[in-house]
Amino acid sequence: MRLSKYFLPILKENPSDAQIASHRLMLRAGMIRQAQSGIYSWLPMGYKVLRKLENIVHDEQIRAGHNPMLMPTIQSADLWRESGRYDDYGKEMLRITDRHGRDMLFGPTNEELITDIFRNSVKSYKDLPMTLYHIQWKFRDEVRPRFGVMRGREFLMKDGYNFDLNKEAAMHSYNRHMVSYLRTYERMGMKAIPMRADSGPIGGEDTHEFLVLADTGESEVFFDRNILDLSLGDKEIDYNNWDECASIFKEWTTPYARTDETHNPELFAKIPDERQMTSRGIEVGQIFYFGTKYSESMNAKVSTPNDGEIPVHMGSHGIGVSRMVGAIIEASHDENGIIWPEAVSPFGVGIVNLKQGDDQADLACENLYKSASLLGIDPLYDDRSERAGAKFASMDLIGLPWRITVGPRGLKNGVVELTCRRTGVSEELPPELAMEKLAKVYSKLV
Ligand code: ATP
Ligand code: MG
C-alpha cells in the first residue's frame, strides 16, 4: 500500500476524551472513529488488525477441531424466555420490537440460539462430541462504555459452544479450549495468563479468565511469577488426546493466578515472597463449563444406548477480539506510539523515502516496495512529499515493527537503513540484505 492512496487519518493532537493509551493511539493512528458512545467504525488500518486477529482465532479454532459458522446478531426474545434469561439479563440487553410487534434483541451472547440449533438437528449420542463457534458482533448496553474498544457497547467476540455426552468429555472440551486459547494468544505475540474466575450470572462450575497484564486493566490480579515462564512454543498438540490436553491444562493452572474476585490471600502468602506478583490485567477471554444448565431448560437431549435420553453437557468459551486490539496496544506501546507484534501488525514494514522526487531514491523505494510485496511482507510505502521528521513520527505512531529508510546519501554507498521499532536499533544494509532479513523474520510466523 502507498500511503498517498491510503485512508489513514492521523491526528496530530491527543484527543481530550481518551483516558488510556490504546484509546488515544487508536484514534490518533486513524484506526477507529467513534460513531456513538461505545460504538466505533473501524477505519482501514484498524480493520486490517482486527481481521488479522480474527484469522488467528479461526486458524487455532479449526486446528482444535471446532466448527466455524455464523449466527445472526438479532435474536428472538422467545428463546431467551425459554432459558429464563430474558428477564435476568436486565438493562444490558438491547431490546427491539419489529413491525409485527414481536420482541427481539441484539445478541449479547449466543447460548440460547446455539442450543436451539443443536436440539433441532442432533438427536443421538453418536453425533457427539461437537463444538461450534462463530465470530460475530455483540451488543451489551454497558453502564459505562469507556476506554475505546476495551469496553464498548458493540464489540466483536469469538464465542464457541461445546456439546458433550457427560461431564468427563465436557472437561476434555474445557481443557482443549484452554490449550487452543493459550496458543491463540501466543500467536498474537501476547502473554495472556489463565486465572481462576468467578462464574457470575452465566452460572457455571468451572471457569477461567485470560488476562493480559497492563497498568490500565480493570481487574486487580495476583499470581506466581513462575507462570510468566510458561510457553507452548511451536509444540505440536494432539487435541484429541485427553491426557495431553489435561496435562497442559494442569501445567498452566498449577501456579497461583487469580483475579480480585477469587483471590485467596492465605494461599497467595504461601508462595515465596519474591514470586508474589500483584498487577492489573485486561480480560481478553473466558472459558466456562456449565453442565446441563441450558440443555435442561431448553430440552437439548440425545438418545444413548443404555440411559435413554439425556441432556448434553455444555460449555461456552469467548475471546474478546475487538478488545484484544486495545489490549495489545496497552501492553505494547511507548511515548511515540504503538509497537505491533509482527504477527498482528497491519503492515510488515514501512518504507520511508527521505527525498521524494529524487530519481534514485524513488527508484530504490519502488524496488523495495515490489520485492517486499512479492515476499508477502506487505509494505506500507510513505511516498508523500513530507519532511523526514513528519514521516518518522507517523511511522512511530502507527507502530509497524520494521522501517526501511531510503535516502540519497545512503544510496551513494549502496545501503538503506533498517530500523526495529521495538529496540530502536538501526543498521545500514544493502537493500537485498534488508529484505532477506525481513523475509526471515516473517517466515517464522507462518
Ligand atoms: P467483562 O467482565 O469485562 O464485562 P464479561 O466477563 O462480561 O466481560 P464474557 O461474557 O466473558 O465478558 O465475554 C467474553 C469476552 O468478550 C471477554 O473476555 C472480553 O474480552 C470480551 N468483552 C466482554 N464485554 C466486552 C465489552 N463491553 N467490550 C469489549 N469486549 C468485551
Ligand atoms: Mg468474562
Side-chain angles (χ1 to χ4, degrees):
M1 181 56 69
R2 289 164 203 273
L3 198 45
S4 61
K5 305 230 159 41
Y6 198 50
F7 181 57
L8 188 72
I10 284 177
L11 303 178
K12 293 230 163 59
E13 306 292 324
N14 273 328
S16 57
D17 55 330
Q19 302 163 29
I20 63 170
S22 59
H23 189 193
R24 205 160 52 232
L25 291 171
M26 287 180 78
L27 287 167
R28 283 199 55 205
M31 294 176 68
I32 52 166
R33 285 294 179 264
Q34 181 174 308
Q36 289 176 56
S37 166
I39 306 179
Y40 291 87
S41 298
W42 291 77
L43 306 187
M45 200 178 80
Y47 179 58
K48 209 164 175 211
V49 175
L50 193 65
R51 288 295 302 274
K52 288 210 163 182
L53 299 189
E54 270 190 81
N55 287 341
I56 292 175
V57 171
H58 272 302
D59 226 42
E60 291 303 328
Q61 287 301 301
I62 290 166
R63 195 196 292 259
H66 305 162
N67 290 277
M69 63 181 295
L70 187 60
M71 286 176 269
T73 53
I74 306 292
Q75 303 180 19
S76 133
D78 285 339
L79 279 179
W80 285 70
R81 291 197 176 99
E82 263 191 72
S83 72
R85 282 208 296 178
Y86 190 64
D87 294 326
D88 292 353
Y89 221 92
K91 289 200 164 168
E92 275 199 7
M93 180 184 276
L94 180 64
R95 296 158 207 258
I96 311 163
T97 313
D98 75 2
R99 61 164 73 191
H100 306 291
R102 278 187 289 251
D103 293 335
M104 307 201 292
L105 55 100
F106 197 119
T109 176
N110 284 54
E111 281 81 7
E112 283 77 0
L113 190 51
I114 198 77
T115 305
D116 184 52
I117 292 168
F118 177 88
R119 71 179 171 187
N120 290 331
S121 320
V122 179
K123 307 283 180 201
S124 161
Y125 76 99
K126 287 183 190 148
D127 295 323
L128 302 180
M130 184 189 295
T131 295
L132 302 164
Y133 80 94
H134 72 163
I135 300 178
Q136 176 62 293
W137 293 91
K138 305 290 186 290
F139 194 95
R140 294 183 189 172
D141 206 352
E142 301 273 355
V143 198
R144 273 187 77 204
R146 56 187 182 144
F147 300 158
V149 300
M150 291 283 212
R151 184 164 295 286
R153 294 197 293 167
E154 192 178 286
F155 59 96
L156 189 62
M157 194 209 281
K158 171 265 164 185
D159 42 322
Y161 306 86
N162 65 286
F163 299 90
D164 286 282
L165 188 57
N166 50 38
K167 179 164 184 188
E168 225 194 338
M171 289 320 289
H172 167 59
S173 291
Y174 187 84
N175 295 343
R176 191 180 64 234
H177 275 90
M178 160 81 72
V179 178
S180 71
Y181 277 27
L182 291 171
R183 277 197 67 128
T184 303
Y185 299 123
E186 270 192 32
R187 264 190 66 183
M188 292 174 177
M190 296 303 293
K191 181 132 248 157
I193 305 176
M195 302 199 178
R196 179 194 284 265
D198 206 16
S199 55
I202 200 169
E205 298 181 21
D206 271 289
T207 176
H208 282 85
E209 287 173 348
F210 295 80
L211 286 108
V212 166
L213 301 180
D215 296 340
T216 48
E218 289 186 297
S219 323
E220 197 175 3
V221 298
F222 305 84
F223 60 95
D224 181 339
R225 220 215 137 272
N226 278 359
I227 201 164
L228 296 177
D229 299 332
L230 296 178
S231 153
L232 291 175
D234 42 20
K235 183 173 183 302
E236 224 12 85
I237 290 153
D238 177 3
Y239 282 106
N240 292 317
N241 185 330
W242 288 27
D243 292 339
E244 187 174 349
C245 291
S247 87
I248 296 172
F249 175 87
K250 187 152 179 238
E251 188 188 1
W252 282 80
T253 52
T254 302
Y256 186 94
R258 296 194 184 189
T259 66
D260 38 14
E261 286 173 350
T262 52
H263 180 50
N264 178 330
E266 275 170 36
L267 284 179
F268 189 58
K270 290 190 181 144
I271 306 167
D273 282 356
E274 68 282 9
R275 283 181 11 217
Q276 288 178 18
M277 307 286 289
T278 316
S279 167
R280 300 199 70 83
I282 302 166
E283 181 195 328
V284 293
Q286 183 159 15
I287 55 176
F288 277 102
Y289 164 72
F290 48 69
T292 56
K293 180 178 155 82
Y294 296 92
S295 55
E296 277 186 55
S297 59
M298 295 184 66
N299 203 30
K301 294 184 173 161
V302 292
S303 61
T304 60
N306 302 320
D307 303 318
E309 283 203 331
I310 60 167
V312 290
H313 284 249
M314 293 173 59
S316 70
H317 316 277
I319 294 180
V321 182
S322 52
R323 179 181 283 181
M324 194 68 202
V325 180
I328 292 173
I329 298 174
E330 284 304 320
S332 186
H333 69 272
D334 63 15
E335 64 282 5
N336 298 322
I338 304 167
I339 306 175
W340 292 113
E342 272 117 4
V344 302
S345 179
F347 297 93
V349 61
I351 301 171
V352 170
N353 188 343
L354 290 179
K355 202 162 185 203
Q356 207 70 44
D358 174 273
D359 286 348
Q360 272 210 333
D362 289 0
L363 180 66
C365 286
E366 289 299 330
N367 286 337
L368 282 164
Y369 184 70
K370 265 185 230 149
S371 53
S373 305
L374 281 174
L375 288 165
I377 296 169
D378 196 11
L380 178 68
Y381 172 23
D382 191 345
D383 58 345
R384 301 168 306 162
S385 314
E386 292 269 350
R387 288 175 304 110
K391 290 189 175 187
F392 290 149
S394 299
M395 281 296 172
D396 282 350
L397 174 65
I398 67 174
L400 308 186
W402 297 93
R403 186 185 78 206
I404 295 183
T405 311
V406 180
R409 206 178 312 148
L411 289 176
K412 265 197 205 114
N413 302 320
V415 294
V416 296
E417 191 184 58
L418 179 66
T419 308
C420 172
R421 173 73 178 84
R422 192 173 293 279
T423 60
V425 174
S426 293
E427 49 181 332
E428 295 200 320
L429 294 168
E432 322 74 74
L433 286 188
M435 274 301 139
E436 212 172 280
K437 188 162 174 180
L438 287 179
K440 231 182 244 162
V441 168
Y442 283 100
S443 70
K444 281 204 196 102
L445 294 175
V446 195

